[in-house]
Amino acid sequence: MTRRRDDIALRETEASFSRRDLLKLLASGSALLLVHCGPVPPPPGEKRGASYDWTKHYWVYVVDISKCIGCCACMRACRAENDVPEGYHRTWIERYRIRKDGEVLIDVAQTGEHVFAEVKDEVERAYFVPKICNHCTASPCTQVCPVGASYQTKDGVVLVDDKACVGCGYCVQACPYGTRYLHPTTRVADKCTLCYHRITRGEKPACVAMCPTGARMFGDLKNPDDPITRLLKDTRTRFIKAELGTKPKCHYIGLDEEVI
Ligand code: SF4
Ligand code: SF4
């Protein structure tokens, strides 16, 4: 972990969405009116480890496409850990199949058991892509929230204060990655928290802990000895929809051109 990367990460946290970024997002049809932005203190009820200091960490997520076998253990772990309602996902796996003529077929694991349907058609290559909230450093979801219920923590996580959320759904519309939903029971915005209740106690997010192949990784950029910090120093990674200027924090290793 170099001092420079640390500085970049912190600068990105403070970055706001530029007019150019907004125009790009509007062109993608994903953004609504930008009303409110900026980090705010965590709500009083936020579950955190008792001695946790959010100024001492900067969390980052890494996916290695070549290691994902599409078993969906991560989805099941997330559902159990976070009580995700049936039919909704905080994280999911997409299967990409590329035909000889270049056609790209994409499907997702079925709800319920979270397994992929068996397919028999011939394809040239196939791979799985785990998707998750990117905890964007220039996050459109926090910027459109009219009451500041969606916010960024100092340690790089995007959260929702469910007591403050009025369920308007602006953030759901604004997220260009489709990672948010309105909870069918509580009617407030819901999404991946990086298992904030776990990581602030020194544990990994449930999806990372349960992945049998190490395809999902997680680390602290402020810790120079963290294996993920070292990995990111030496490995070329890419982001999904980087051109939108949202500055995602989920790094992908081996991301192919077909992935959207
Ligand atoms: S992926 Fe969507 S919900 Fe997550 S921080 Fe980015 S814009 Fe917000
Ligand atoms: S648990 Fe790991 S290998 Fe299995 S689908 Fe999830 S990311 Fe892929």
Side-chain angles (χ1 to χ4, degrees):
M1 165 68 193
T2 63
R3 179 64 197 269
R4 189 164 169 274
R5 186 186 286 278
D6 222 8
D7 289 344
I8 290 169
L10 287 171
R11 274 206 307 278
E12 285 180 350
T13 307
E14 289 156 6
S16 63
F17 224 46
S18 71
R19 184 178 160 75
R20 195 163 142 258
D21 295 333
L22 173 60
L23 288 172
K24 276 187 201 164
L25 198 59
L26 284 169
S28 79
S30 301
L32 289 173
L33 181 67
L34 296 191
V35 181
H36 180 277
C37 65
V40 295
E46 190 64 63
K47 293 181 205 152
R48 281 173 295 156
S51 58
Y52 183 71
D53 181 351
W54 71 353
T55 64
K56 296 210 164 92
H57 307 275
Y58 198 80
W59 303 112
V60 67
Y61 200 92
V62 182
V63 172
D64 186 341
I65 301 280
S66 69
K67 291 184 178 168
C68 181
I69 56 174
C71 67
C72 300
C74 48
M75 289 178 71
R76 292 188 288 274
C78 175
R79 178 164 306 273
E81 179 74 28
N82 298 297
D83 205 16
V84 180
E86 193 56 50
Y88 296 81
H89 307 291
R90 287 187 176 194
T91 184
W92 68 96
I93 309 291
E94 292 175 359
R95 176 170 57 185
Y96 281 69
R97 290 176 292 136
I98 322 299
R99 285 191 205 268
K100 282 205 176 95
D101 62 4
E103 187 186 358
V104 181
L105 308 170
I106 308 168
D107 65 340
V108 294
Q110 296 163 328
T111 53
E113 289 304 303
H114 303 110
V115 289
F116 279 96
E118 204 177 313
V119 282
K120 295 208 169 83
D121 51 330
E122 282 203 8
V123 292
E124 198 159 72
R125 59 199 169 86
Y127 53 90
F128 297 98
V129 182
K131 294 263 183 97
I132 194 170
C133 168
N134 285 279
H135 296 276
C136 311
T137 49
S139 47
C141 57
T142 60
Q143 297 189 42
V144 298
C145 179
V147 294
S150 283
Y151 66 99
Q152 295 199 28
T153 63
K154 289 192 173 163
D155 48 5
V157 183
V158 174
L159 295 178
V160 179
D161 177 358
D162 57 3
K163 305 281 184 308
C165 176
V166 293
C168 66
Y170 285 4
C171 59
V172 177
Q173 296 288 324
C175 172
Y177 301 96
T179 64
R180 285 179 174 245
Y181 56 88
L182 285 183
H183 193 289
T185 308
T186 61
R187 302 306 298 166
V188 298
D190 202 16
K191 68 167 204 63
C192 161
T193 63
L194 279 185
C195 285
Y196 204 64
H197 59 291
R198 289 172 60 97
I199 64 176
T200 55
R201 294 192 308 240
E203 297 167 29
K204 290 178 178 170
C207 55
V208 174
M210 290 308 290
C211 175
T213 64
R216 291 179 182 250
M217 294 166 272
F218 170 79
D220 182 0
L221 280 185
K222 281 197 174 175
N223 178 0
D225 298 323
D226 191 311
I228 295 303
T229 304
R230 292 203 298 270
L231 176 80
L232 288 178
K233 212 171 144 194
D234 300 334
T235 311
R236 186 167 175 267
T237 62
R238 296 177 68 187
F239 301 104
I240 294 179
K241 296 184 182 173
E243 72 283 2
L244 293 179
T246 51
K247 298 186 171 65
K249 239 177 258 110
C250 179
H251 294 250
Y252 283 85
I253 300 170
L255 194 68
D256 270 348
E257 296 301 328
E258 298 97 7
V259 178
I260 51 175

